[in-house]
Amino acid sequence: MVSRTRTARYARRRKRRMDAVEHDLSAPQWAALEHAWGGCAYCGAIGRPLQRDCVLPISRGGRYTFGNVVPACGPCNASKCNDEVTAWLRRKRLDERAFLVRHAEIRASLALLFFPEAAGQPAAATD
């Protein structure tokens, strides 16, 4: 028998969305993002376990990719849910501009490390 609870329906819907897109965030990329942010990307909390949060939620077309994932503490991740990030930051009275600038800077600096060919740099040799 198929469970018809709201939670089970949500889990099945989320699984279908997750299976429908390609997620290519590697473990080294996630570790670099965690290190670069140094805590929650939204509120700056440190000393808490961090979760992968999609800036553009999966339900709105996002994926777990290098450019779309930031580390978030549990309370921020749960509060943001599938909201659009800038509206959520404004509603929570967090510094929207600071987040967007830092997000762009971190993405650009780490892109040089993980995607040197995209920045016109020669690809690292793999012996």
Side-chain angles (χ1 to χ4, degrees), residues 1 6 12 17-18 21 23 25 30 33 35-36 40 46 52 57 64 66 73 76 91-92 97 102 106 108 113 116-117:
M1 181 175 154
R6 185 180 332 165
R12 285 191 303 273
R17 278 195 309 266
M18 295 289 285
V21 295
H23 305 286
L25 182 70
W30 170 242
L33 285 168
H35 179 72
C40 177
I46 55 174
R52 296 173 185 173
Y64 284 108
F66 172 75
C73 65
C76 283
R91 190 173 69 249
K92 296 295 281 186
R97 185 175 191 284
R102 186 143 186 240
I106 288 173
L113 177 66
E117 63 281 353

PDB file of all heavy atoms in Angstrom, residues 1 6 12 17-18 21 23 25 30 33 35-36 40 46 52 57 64 66 73 76 91-92 97 102 106 108 113 116-117:
ATOM      1  N   MET A   1       0.841  -1.183   0.000  1.00  0.00           N
ATOM      2  CA  MET A   1       0.000   0.000   0.000  1.00  0.00           C
ATOM      3  C   MET A   1       0.889   1.252   0.000  1.00  0.00           C
ATOM      4  O   MET A   1       1.853   1.340   0.742  1.00  0.00           O
ATOM      5  CB  MET A   1      -0.900  -0.002   1.221  1.00  0.00           C
ATOM      6  CG  MET A   1      -1.806   1.190   1.265  1.00  0.00           C
ATOM      7  SD  MET A   1      -2.929   1.027   2.640  1.00  0.00           S
ATOM      8  CE  MET A   1      -3.242   2.727   2.928  1.00  0.00           C
ATOM      9  N   ARG A   6       0.842  13.479   3.906  1.00  0.00           N
ATOM     10  CA  ARG A   6       1.421  14.667   3.274  1.00  0.00           C
ATOM     11  C   ARG A   6       2.942  14.548   3.187  1.00  0.00           C
ATOM     12  O   ARG A   6       3.542  14.886   2.172  1.00  0.00           O
ATOM     13  CB  ARG A   6       1.037  15.905   4.069  1.00  0.00           C
ATOM     14  CG  ARG A   6       1.492  17.175   3.409  1.00  0.00           C
ATOM     15  CD  ARG A   6       1.129  18.419   4.159  1.00  0.00           C
ATOM     16  NE  ARG A   6      -0.065  18.261   4.954  1.00  0.00           N
ATOM     17  CZ  ARG A   6      -0.450  19.083   5.903  1.00  0.00           C
ATOM     18  NH1 ARG A   6       0.273  20.138   6.178  1.00  0.00           N
ATOM     19  NH2 ARG A   6      -1.539  18.891   6.593  1.00  0.00           N
ATOM     20  N   ARG A  12       7.955  11.857  -2.144  1.00  0.00           N
ATOM     21  CA  ARG A  12       7.918  11.307  -3.505  1.00  0.00           C
ATOM     22  C   ARG A  12       8.089  12.410  -4.547  1.00  0.00           C
ATOM     23  O   ARG A  12       8.812  12.251  -5.524  1.00  0.00           O
ATOM     24  CB  ARG A  12       6.605  10.554  -3.749  1.00  0.00           C
ATOM     25  CG  ARG A  12       6.559   9.198  -3.073  1.00  0.00           C
ATOM     26  CD  ARG A  12       5.379   8.370  -3.556  1.00  0.00           C
ATOM     27  NE  ARG A  12       4.097   9.011  -3.363  1.00  0.00           N
ATOM     28  CZ  ARG A  12       3.363   8.940  -2.251  1.00  0.00           C
ATOM     29  NH1 ARG A  12       3.803   8.233  -1.221  1.00  0.00           N
ATOM     30  NH2 ARG A  12       2.199   9.544  -2.163  1.00  0.00           N
ATOM     31  N   ARG A  17      11.725  15.298  -8.487  1.00  0.00           N
ATOM     32  CA  ARG A  17      12.434  16.521  -8.896  1.00  0.00           C
ATOM     33  C   ARG A  17      13.940  16.306  -8.869  1.00  0.00           C
ATOM     34  O   ARG A  17      14.656  16.725  -9.778  1.00  0.00           O
ATOM     35  CB  ARG A  17      12.064  17.695  -7.983  1.00  0.00           C
ATOM     36  CG  ARG A  17      10.776  18.373  -8.324  1.00  0.00           C
ATOM     37  CD  ARG A  17      10.652  19.715  -7.627  1.00  0.00           C
ATOM     38  NE  ARG A  17      10.889  19.673  -6.201  1.00  0.00           N
ATOM     39  CZ  ARG A  17       9.946  19.538  -5.272  1.00  0.00           C
ATOM     40  NH1 ARG A  17       8.699  19.428  -5.629  1.00  0.00           N
ATOM     41  NH2 ARG A  17      10.249  19.526  -4.002  1.00  0.00           N
ATOM     42  N   MET A  18      14.423  15.654  -7.814  1.00  0.00           N
ATOM     43  CA  MET A  18      15.862  15.423  -7.675  1.00  0.00           C
ATOM     44  C   MET A  18      16.378  14.497  -8.781  1.00  0.00           C
ATOM     45  O   MET A  18      17.463  14.705  -9.309  1.00  0.00           O
ATOM     46  CB  MET A  18      16.182  14.813  -6.310  1.00  0.00           C
ATOM     47  CG  MET A  18      15.890  15.731  -5.146  1.00  0.00           C
ATOM     48  SD  MET A  18      17.028  17.092  -5.029  1.00  0.00           S
ATOM     49  CE  MET A  18      18.455  16.276  -4.393  1.00  0.00           C
ATOM     50  N   VAL A  21      16.974  16.114 -12.561  1.00  0.00           N
ATOM     51  CA  VAL A  21      18.054  17.035 -12.916  1.00  0.00           C
ATOM     52  C   VAL A  21      19.406  16.428 -12.562  1.00  0.00           C
ATOM     53  O   VAL A  21      19.504  15.531 -11.730  1.00  0.00           O
ATOM     54  CB  VAL A  21      17.902  18.407 -12.221  1.00  0.00           C
ATOM     55  CG1 VAL A  21      16.663  19.125 -12.692  1.00  0.00           C
ATOM     56  CG2 VAL A  21      17.888  18.268 -10.720  1.00  0.00           C
ATOM     57  N   HIS A  23      22.928  16.705 -10.813  1.00  0.00           N
ATOM     58  CA  HIS A  23      23.622  17.400  -9.729  1.00  0.00           C
ATOM     59  C   HIS A  23      25.096  17.061  -9.854  1.00  0.00           C
ATOM     60  O   HIS A  23      25.465  15.894  -9.842  1.00  0.00           O
ATOM     61  CB  HIS A  23      23.093  16.945  -8.371  1.00  0.00           C
ATOM     62  CG  HIS A  23      21.615  17.091  -8.239  1.00  0.00           C
ATOM     63  ND1 HIS A  23      20.995  18.301  -8.062  1.00  0.00           N
ATOM     64  CD2 HIS A  23      20.620  16.181  -8.302  1.00  0.00           C
ATOM     65  CE1 HIS A  23      19.695  18.126  -7.987  1.00  0.00           C
ATOM     66  NE2 HIS A  23      19.439  16.849  -8.143  1.00  0.00           N
ATOM     67  N   LEU A  25      27.820  18.714  -7.992  1.00  0.00           N
ATOM     68  CA  LEU A  25      28.678  19.270  -6.950  1.00  0.00           C
ATOM     69  C   LEU A  25      29.530  18.142  -6.368  1.00  0.00           C
ATOM     70  O   LEU A  25      29.012  17.175  -5.828  1.00  0.00           O
ATOM     71  CB  LEU A  25      27.836  19.911  -5.842  1.00  0.00           C
ATOM     72  CG  LEU A  25      28.624  20.563  -4.710  1.00  0.00           C
ATOM     73  CD1 LEU A  25      29.319  21.824  -5.213  1.00  0.00           C
ATOM     74  CD2 LEU A  25      27.719  20.881  -3.545  1.00  0.00           C
ATOM     75  N   TRP A  30      32.418  21.095  -2.450  1.00  0.00           N
ATOM     76  CA  TRP A  30      31.637  21.397  -1.242  1.00  0.00           C
ATOM     77  C   TRP A  30      32.570  21.772  -0.094  1.00  0.00           C
ATOM     78  O   TRP A  30      32.326  22.744   0.624  1.00  0.00           O
ATOM     79  CB  TRP A  30      30.743  20.213  -0.864  1.00  0.00           C
ATOM     80  CG  TRP A  30      30.106  20.355   0.467  1.00  0.00           C
ATOM     81  CD1 TRP A  30      30.272  19.557   1.551  1.00  0.00           C
ATOM     82  CD2 TRP A  30      29.192  21.390   0.895  1.00  0.00           C
ATOM     83  NE1 TRP A  30      29.531  20.016   2.619  1.00  0.00           N
ATOM     84  CE2 TRP A  30      28.861  21.142   2.238  1.00  0.00           C
ATOM     85  CE3 TRP A  30      28.640  22.497   0.264  1.00  0.00           C
ATOM     86  CZ2 TRP A  30      27.992  21.953   2.958  1.00  0.00           C
ATOM     87  CZ3 TRP A  30      27.775  23.311   0.987  1.00  0.00           C
ATOM     88  CH2 TRP A  30      27.454  23.037   2.314  1.00  0.00           C
ATOM     89  N   LEU A  33      33.805  25.261  -0.634  1.00  0.00           N
ATOM     90  CA  LEU A  33      32.753  26.246  -0.357  1.00  0.00           C
ATOM     91  C   LEU A  33      32.577  26.443   1.143  1.00  0.00           C
ATOM     92  O   LEU A  33      32.478  27.580   1.624  1.00  0.00           O
ATOM     93  CB  LEU A  33      31.423  25.814  -0.988  1.00  0.00           C
ATOM     94  CG  LEU A  33      31.319  25.976  -2.497  1.00  0.00           C
ATOM     95  CD1 LEU A  33      30.096  25.243  -3.034  1.00  0.00           C
ATOM     96  CD2 LEU A  33      31.263  27.450  -2.868  1.00  0.00           C
ATOM     97  N   HIS A  35      34.784  25.960   3.478  1.00  0.00           N
ATOM     98  CA  HIS A  35      35.966  26.654   3.988  1.00  0.00           C
ATOM     99  C   HIS A  35      35.943  28.143   3.609  1.00  0.00           C
ATOM    100  O   HIS A  35      36.236  29.002   4.444  1.00  0.00           O
ATOM    101  CB  HIS A  35      37.242  25.989   3.449  1.00  0.00           C
ATOM    102  CG  HIS A  35      38.489  26.656   3.901  1.00  0.00           C
ATOM    103  ND1 HIS A  35      38.946  26.577   5.197  1.00  0.00           N
ATOM    104  CD2 HIS A  35      39.366  27.448   3.236  1.00  0.00           C
ATOM    105  CE1 HIS A  35      40.051  27.286   5.307  1.00  0.00           C
ATOM    106  NE2 HIS A  35      40.333  27.825   4.136  1.00  0.00           N
ATOM    107  N   ALA A  36      35.586  28.443   2.371  1.00  0.00           N
ATOM    108  CA  ALA A  36      35.589  29.833   1.907  1.00  0.00           C
ATOM    109  C   ALA A  36      34.567  30.681   2.660  1.00  0.00           C
ATOM    110  O   ALA A  36      34.844  31.828   3.014  1.00  0.00           O
ATOM    111  CB  ALA A  36      35.312  29.884   0.405  1.00  0.00           C
ATOM    112  N   CYS A  40      27.783  29.896   8.143  1.00  0.00           N
ATOM    113  CA  CYS A  40      26.546  30.009   7.376  1.00  0.00           C
ATOM    114  C   CYS A  40      26.644  31.191   6.406  1.00  0.00           C
ATOM    115  O   CYS A  40      27.002  32.302   6.801  1.00  0.00           O
ATOM    116  CB  CYS A  40      25.356  30.204   8.311  1.00  0.00           C
ATOM    117  SG  CYS A  40      23.770  30.431   7.451  1.00  0.00           S
ATOM    118  N   ILE A  46      28.761  30.317  13.125  1.00  0.00           N
ATOM    119  CA  ILE A  46      29.874  29.364  13.083  1.00  0.00           C
ATOM    120  C   ILE A  46      29.674  28.360  14.211  1.00  0.00           C
ATOM    121  O   ILE A  46      28.922  28.612  15.153  1.00  0.00           O
ATOM    122  CB  ILE A  46      31.248  30.058  13.199  1.00  0.00           C
ATOM    123  CG1 ILE A  46      31.312  30.930  14.454  1.00  0.00           C
ATOM    124  CG2 ILE A  46      31.536  30.881  11.971  1.00  0.00           C
ATOM    125  CD1 ILE A  46      32.674  31.522  14.712  1.00  0.00           C
ATOM    126  N   ARG A  52      23.943  21.795   2.756  1.00  0.00           N
ATOM    127  CA  ARG A  52      23.986  22.330   1.399  1.00  0.00           C
ATOM    128  C   ARG A  52      22.642  22.972   1.102  1.00  0.00           C
ATOM    129  O   ARG A  52      21.611  22.319   1.158  1.00  0.00           O
ATOM    130  CB  ARG A  52      24.257  21.220   0.395  1.00  0.00           C
ATOM    131  CG  ARG A  52      25.593  20.592   0.594  1.00  0.00           C
ATOM    132  CD  ARG A  52      25.776  19.394  -0.283  1.00  0.00           C
ATOM    133  NE  ARG A  52      27.055  18.788   0.075  1.00  0.00           N
ATOM    134  CZ  ARG A  52      27.483  17.664  -0.394  1.00  0.00           C
ATOM    135  NH1 ARG A  52      26.761  16.968  -1.230  1.00  0.00           N
ATOM    136  NH2 ARG A  52      28.652  17.209  -0.022  1.00  0.00           N
ATOM    137  N   PRO A  57      16.230  27.345  -5.411  1.00  0.00           N
ATOM    138  CA  PRO A  57      15.730  26.048  -4.934  1.00  0.00           C
ATOM    139  C   PRO A  57      15.446  25.067  -6.073  1.00  0.00           C
ATOM    140  O   PRO A  57      15.110  25.466  -7.189  1.00  0.00           O
ATOM    141  CB  PRO A  57      14.434  26.413  -4.206  1.00  0.00           C
ATOM    142  CG  PRO A  57      14.548  27.860  -3.896  1.00  0.00           C
ATOM    143  CD  PRO A  57      15.384  28.454  -4.984  1.00  0.00           C
ATOM    144  N   TYR A  64      22.006  20.981  -7.416  1.00  0.00           N
ATOM    145  CA  TYR A  64      23.184  20.978  -6.561  1.00  0.00           C
ATOM    146  C   TYR A  64      24.403  21.087  -7.464  1.00  0.00           C
ATOM    147  O   TYR A  64      24.950  20.091  -7.925  1.00  0.00           O
ATOM    148  CB  TYR A  64      23.257  19.701  -5.716  1.00  0.00           C
ATOM    149  CG  TYR A  64      22.301  19.698  -4.557  1.00  0.00           C
ATOM    150  CD1 TYR A  64      21.176  18.894  -4.567  1.00  0.00           C
ATOM    151  CD2 TYR A  64      22.519  20.499  -3.449  1.00  0.00           C
ATOM    152  CE1 TYR A  64      20.293  18.892  -3.502  1.00  0.00           C
ATOM    153  CE2 TYR A  64      21.651  20.510  -2.381  1.00  0.00           C
ATOM    154  CZ  TYR A  64      20.532  19.699  -2.410  1.00  0.00           C
ATOM    155  OH  TYR A  64      19.669  19.704  -1.357  1.00  0.00           O
ATOM    156  N   PHE A  66      28.091  23.683  -8.296  1.00  0.00           N
ATOM    157  CA  PHE A  66      29.068  24.567  -7.678  1.00  0.00           C
ATOM    158  C   PHE A  66      28.553  26.009  -7.556  1.00  0.00           C
ATOM    159  O   PHE A  66      28.713  26.647  -6.527  1.00  0.00           O
ATOM    160  CB  PHE A  66      30.367  24.525  -8.497  1.00  0.00           C
ATOM    161  CG  PHE A  66      31.371  25.551  -8.065  1.00  0.00           C
ATOM    162  CD1 PHE A  66      32.093  25.375  -6.907  1.00  0.00           C
ATOM    163  CD2 PHE A  66      31.576  26.691  -8.815  1.00  0.00           C
ATOM    164  CE1 PHE A  66      33.014  26.318  -6.495  1.00  0.00           C
ATOM    165  CE2 PHE A  66      32.492  27.641  -8.418  1.00  0.00           C
ATOM    166  CZ  PHE A  66      33.216  27.451  -7.256  1.00  0.00           C
ATOM    167  N   CYS A  73      23.299  27.124   7.898  1.00  0.00           N
ATOM    168  CA  CYS A  73      22.992  26.458   9.167  1.00  0.00           C
ATOM    169  C   CYS A  73      21.566  25.902   9.062  1.00  0.00           C
ATOM    170  O   CYS A  73      20.786  26.320   8.199  1.00  0.00           O
ATOM    171  CB  CYS A  73      23.131  27.429  10.336  1.00  0.00           C
ATOM    172  SG  CYS A  73      21.959  28.809  10.334  1.00  0.00           S
ATOM    173  N   CYS A  76      18.599  28.554   9.156  1.00  0.00           N
ATOM    174  CA  CYS A  76      18.475  29.357   7.929  1.00  0.00           C
ATOM    175  C   CYS A  76      17.953  28.500   6.779  1.00  0.00           C
ATOM    176  O   CYS A  76      17.079  28.930   6.026  1.00  0.00           O
ATOM    177  CB  CYS A  76      19.811  29.979   7.537  1.00  0.00           C
ATOM    178  SG  CYS A  76      20.265  31.421   8.532  1.00  0.00           S
ATOM    179  N   ARG A  91      13.200  39.695   4.060  1.00  0.00           N
ATOM    180  CA  ARG A  91      12.189  39.392   5.080  1.00  0.00           C
ATOM    181  C   ARG A  91      12.839  39.096   6.425  1.00  0.00           C
ATOM    182  O   ARG A  91      12.324  39.486   7.465  1.00  0.00           O
ATOM    183  CB  ARG A  91      11.326  38.214   4.616  1.00  0.00           C
ATOM    184  CG  ARG A  91      10.115  37.990   5.482  1.00  0.00           C
ATOM    185  CD  ARG A  91       9.162  36.927   4.945  1.00  0.00           C
ATOM    186  NE  ARG A  91       9.746  35.597   5.017  1.00  0.00           N
ATOM    187  CZ  ARG A  91      10.117  34.875   3.967  1.00  0.00           C
ATOM    188  NH1 ARG A  91       9.960  35.345   2.742  1.00  0.00           N
ATOM    189  NH2 ARG A  91      10.637  33.679   4.118  1.00  0.00           N
ATOM    190  N   LYS A  92      13.993  38.418   6.406  1.00  0.00           N
ATOM    191  CA  LYS A  92      14.703  38.093   7.648  1.00  0.00           C
ATOM    192  C   LYS A  92      15.575  39.250   8.145  1.00  0.00           C
ATOM    193  O   LYS A  92      16.233  39.137   9.166  1.00  0.00           O
ATOM    194  CB  LYS A  92      15.585  36.854   7.446  1.00  0.00           C
ATOM    195  CG  LYS A  92      14.816  35.592   7.143  1.00  0.00           C
ATOM    196  CD  LYS A  92      13.952  35.148   8.288  1.00  0.00           C
ATOM    197  CE  LYS A  92      14.769  34.442   9.318  1.00  0.00           C
ATOM    198  NZ  LYS A  92      13.991  33.860  10.399  1.00  0.00           N
ATOM    199  N   ARG A  97      22.762  42.624   0.084  1.00  0.00           N
ATOM    200  CA  ARG A  97      23.874  43.056  -0.764  1.00  0.00           C
ATOM    201  C   ARG A  97      25.164  42.357  -0.368  1.00  0.00           C
ATOM    202  O   ARG A  97      25.921  41.886  -1.217  1.00  0.00           O
ATOM    203  CB  ARG A  97      24.041  44.562  -0.691  1.00  0.00           C
ATOM    204  CG  ARG A  97      25.110  45.083  -1.637  1.00  0.00           C
ATOM    205  CD  ARG A  97      25.158  46.620  -1.630  1.00  0.00           C
ATOM    206  NE  ARG A  97      25.979  47.118  -2.700  1.00  0.00           N
ATOM    207  CZ  ARG A  97      27.309  47.099  -2.699  1.00  0.00           C
ATOM    208  NH1 ARG A  97      27.967  46.600  -1.675  1.00  0.00           N
ATOM    209  NH2 ARG A  97      27.993  47.583  -3.716  1.00  0.00           N
ATOM    210  N   ARG A 102      29.487  38.729  -1.688  1.00  0.00           N
ATOM    211  CA  ARG A 102      30.376  37.657  -1.205  1.00  0.00           C
ATOM    212  C   ARG A 102      30.179  36.381  -2.016  1.00  0.00           C
ATOM    213  O   ARG A 102      31.140  35.689  -2.343  1.00  0.00           O
ATOM    214  CB  ARG A 102      30.131  37.399   0.274  1.00  0.00           C
ATOM    215  CG  ARG A 102      31.124  36.418   0.847  1.00  0.00           C
ATOM    216  CD  ARG A 102      31.511  36.770   2.255  1.00  0.00           C
ATOM    217  NE  ARG A 102      32.568  35.872   2.672  1.00  0.00           N
ATOM    218  CZ  ARG A 102      32.479  35.053   3.705  1.00  0.00           C
ATOM    219  NH1 ARG A 102      31.403  35.042   4.455  1.00  0.00           N
ATOM    220  NH2 ARG A 102      33.476  34.265   4.012  1.00  0.00           N
ATOM    221  N   ILE A 106      33.280  34.618  -3.940  1.00  0.00           N
ATOM    222  CA  ILE A 106      33.689  33.251  -3.623  1.00  0.00           C
ATOM    223  C   ILE A 106      33.566  32.362  -4.858  1.00  0.00           C
ATOM    224  O   ILE A 106      34.467  31.572  -5.158  1.00  0.00           O
ATOM    225  CB  ILE A 106      32.883  32.696  -2.428  1.00  0.00           C
ATOM    226  CG1 ILE A 106      33.355  33.392  -1.141  1.00  0.00           C
ATOM    227  CG2 ILE A 106      33.016  31.180  -2.314  1.00  0.00           C
ATOM    228  CD1 ILE A 106      32.543  33.076   0.086  1.00  0.00           C
ATOM    229  N   ALA A 108      33.766  33.268  -7.969  1.00  0.00           N
ATOM    230  CA  ALA A 108      34.820  33.645  -8.926  1.00  0.00           C
ATOM    231  C   ALA A 108      36.181  33.108  -8.490  1.00  0.00           C
ATOM    232  O   ALA A 108      36.939  32.572  -9.310  1.00  0.00           O
ATOM    233  CB  ALA A 108      34.868  35.162  -9.086  1.00  0.00           C
ATOM    234  N   LEU A 113      40.076  27.766  -9.304  1.00  0.00           N
ATOM    235  CA  LEU A 113      40.647  26.524  -8.803  1.00  0.00           C
ATOM    236  C   LEU A 113      40.028  25.299  -9.487  1.00  0.00           C
ATOM    237  O   LEU A 113      40.737  24.388  -9.899  1.00  0.00           O
ATOM    238  CB  LEU A 113      40.428  26.444  -7.285  1.00  0.00           C
ATOM    239  CG  LEU A 113      40.890  25.178  -6.580  1.00  0.00           C
ATOM    240  CD1 LEU A 113      42.398  25.054  -6.650  1.00  0.00           C
ATOM    241  CD2 LEU A 113      40.437  25.211  -5.126  1.00  0.00           C
ATOM    242  N   PRO A 116      39.730  26.095 -14.299  1.00  0.00           N
ATOM    243  CA  PRO A 116      40.719  27.037 -14.837  1.00  0.00           C
ATOM    244  C   PRO A 116      40.557  27.262 -16.335  1.00  0.00           C
ATOM    245  O   PRO A 116      40.835  28.359 -16.822  1.00  0.00           O
ATOM    246  CB  PRO A 116      42.065  26.373 -14.526  1.00  0.00           C
ATOM    247  CG  PRO A 116      41.752  24.935 -14.320  1.00  0.00           C
ATOM    248  CD  PRO A 116      40.346  24.891 -13.777  1.00  0.00           C
ATOM    249  N   GLU A 117      40.087  26.255 -17.064  1.00  0.00           N
ATOM    250  CA  GLU A 117      39.923  26.415 -18.507  1.00  0.00           C
ATOM    251  C   GLU A 117      38.851  27.456 -18.844  1.00  0.00           C
ATOM    252  O   GLU A 117      38.946  28.140 -19.852  1.00  0.00           O
ATOM    253  CB  GLU A 117      39.599  25.070 -19.178  1.00  0.00           C
ATOM    254  CG  GLU A 117      38.308  24.417 -18.757  1.00  0.00           C
ATOM    255  CD  GLU A 117      38.348  23.680 -17.406  1.00  0.00           C
ATOM    256  OE1 GLU A 117      39.417  23.532 -16.799  1.00  0.00           O
ATOM    257  OE2 GLU A 117      37.266  23.282 -16.961  1.00  0.00           O
TER     258      GLU A 117
END
